Amino acid sequence: MTTGIILAGGRGTRLAPATNHTNKHMLLVYDREMIRYPAETLVQAGITDLVVVLGPGGSALVDVLEDGSWLKGLGLESLVYVHQGEPLGTAHSVQCAEQAVRTEDVVVILGDSFFGGSLRHAYETWQENPHGALLITVMSDYPEKYGRVVTQKGYIWEIKEKVSGPPVPGEVSTGCCFLDNEIWGYLKGLDPSPRGELEFPDALQKYMVRNHLRAFQYDGFWTDMGTPEGVFDVALVMHNLPGKNG
C-alpha cells in the first residue's frame, strides 16, 4: 500500500491577483477547485490513503475536500490533513506528513498538477519494484520552463536547472514521485537552499547519486496549474472531453 501526499502550500504568486486573498488551490479551474484534480488523479491510480499538507491560509481547503466522501466511490479509504505552519519549502512540506503516513512508501504530488490521463500504469510499475524512487516525467516542448531530466537506461543521472535559450524539446519532471521509506532520512539531512528553503529536488538528488532514481515517462497531457497559461490549458482539455461540450 502507498500513501499519497498532496502538497497544498505555496502562496500562488504566479496567479496574482487572483490569489491575493484566496489560496490558489481553491481557485475554480473549469468545473472544480484546483485541489480536486491531483486528489482524483491519485485515487483513480489506486491510492487509497491521502495526506494533504496545508500551508498558510490553507485551512479553507478542508471545506472543499471535507472527509473525502466524494472520492469514496473511486476507492478512497482515508483522508488526513496536516498543517505545515511556516512555509519552509517543498521538502519541509513532505516532512510534515511523516507522522500521518502508515505505509512503507509514499507518492508525492503537487497540489497544482494536472494529469490528463491515468497514473495507474505508473503505480503498477512502482508496485513491481517499490525501492528507491520513481519520478514521473513527461516530454515537453519547453523544458527550459521546468528543468531538463537526463536519463540513461531508465535511470535519472542529471536534473538540469531551468536555463535560458531557444526551446529544444526534452524530458522534464512533473514533480510527482513514488518514494520508499528512505525519504524520511534524506529529508532530515537536507540543508537550506540559497533562498533559505528545504527543496524537494535536493532530496531526489540523494536517490540519484546512489543510482536509485528511476524515471517513468508519462505519455499523456500534463501541466502545472500554477500559472494563468496552465489554468487556461486545463480548461481547454476539460471543455473538450466527451460529454463536456453539448
Side-chain angles (χ1 to χ4, degrees):
M1 302 296 290
T2 303
T3 298
I5 301 175
I6 303 175
L7 306 185
R11 302 188 185 279
T13 54
R14 293 178 298 168
L15 286 170
T19 52
N20 286 351
H21 305 288
T22 303
N23 184 288
K24 74 172 179 180
H25 301 95
M26 290 186 63
L27 294 179
L28 196 66
V29 181
Y30 192 68
D31 61 353
R32 69 201 72 175
E33 295 88 353
M34 182 186 295
I35 191 65
R36 290 181 181 263
Y37 289 105
E40 290 174 2
T41 292
L42 291 186
V43 176
Q44 288 173 342
I47 304 300
T48 59
D49 301 286
L50 298 180
V51 177
V52 181
V53 183
L54 305 172
S59 296
L61 288 174
V62 178
D63 295 329
V64 174
L65 297 178
E66 300 178 316
D67 63 353
S69 57
W70 55 282
L71 287 170
K72 296 294 175 69
L74 297 176
L76 181 71
E77 295 180 3
S78 70
L79 174 61
V80 177
Y81 297 95
V82 173
H83 292 267
Q84 182 181 10
E86 185 180 358
L88 299 177
T90 49
H92 178 250
S93 296
V94 178
Q95 201 169 20
C96 289
E98 181 178 4
Q99 296 304 313
V101 172
R102 297 289 181 265
T103 55
E104 286 295 311
D105 52 297
V106 298
V107 55
V108 174
I109 191 171
L110 301 175
D112 58 8
S113 277
F114 176 85
F115 288 88
S118 174
L119 293 185
R120 184 171 291 275
H121 186 203
Y123 185 32
E124 291 171 347
T125 299
W126 170 251
Q127 288 177 306
E128 292 171 0
N129 181 21
H131 302 290
L134 183 69
L135 179 65
I136 298 179
T137 64
V138 67
M139 292 300 295
S140 171
D141 290 333
Y142 304 97
E144 70 279 358
K145 292 172 55 179
Y146 307 102
R148 188 183 298 267
V149 173
V150 182
T151 63
Q152 188 174 43
K153 296 182 179 179
Y155 284 85
I156 298 172
W157 59 280
E158 187 177 9
I159 301 177
K160 296 183 178 180
E161 296 295 329
K162 300 175 184 179
V163 294
S164 58
V168 178
E171 194 170 0
V172 301
S173 168
T174 66
C176 183
C177 191
F178 292 88
L179 305 138
D180 65 12
N181 60 10
E182 293 291 337
I183 185 59
W184 308 118
Y186 293 156
L187 290 172
K188 289 180 176 67
L190 293 182
D191 294 319
S193 67
R195 62 178 183 171
E197 296 188 350
L198 299 176
E199 310 281 1
F200 186 62
D202 290 344
L204 295 184
Q205 289 282 346
K206 304 282 188 178
Y207 283 101
M208 190 172 66
V209 297
R210 294 166 174 80
N211 202 30
H212 291 168
L213 180 58
R214 292 171 285 146
F216 178 93
Q217 191 178 113
Y218 175 72
D219 61 4
F221 175 79
W222 169 83
T223 194
D224 159 19
M225 293 182 285
T227 66
E229 295 82 7
V231 169
F232 180 75
D233 288 343
V234 170
L236 281 180
V237 169
M238 295 298 294
H239 178 73
N240 289 323
L241 287 177
K244 288 289 186 180
N245 186 20

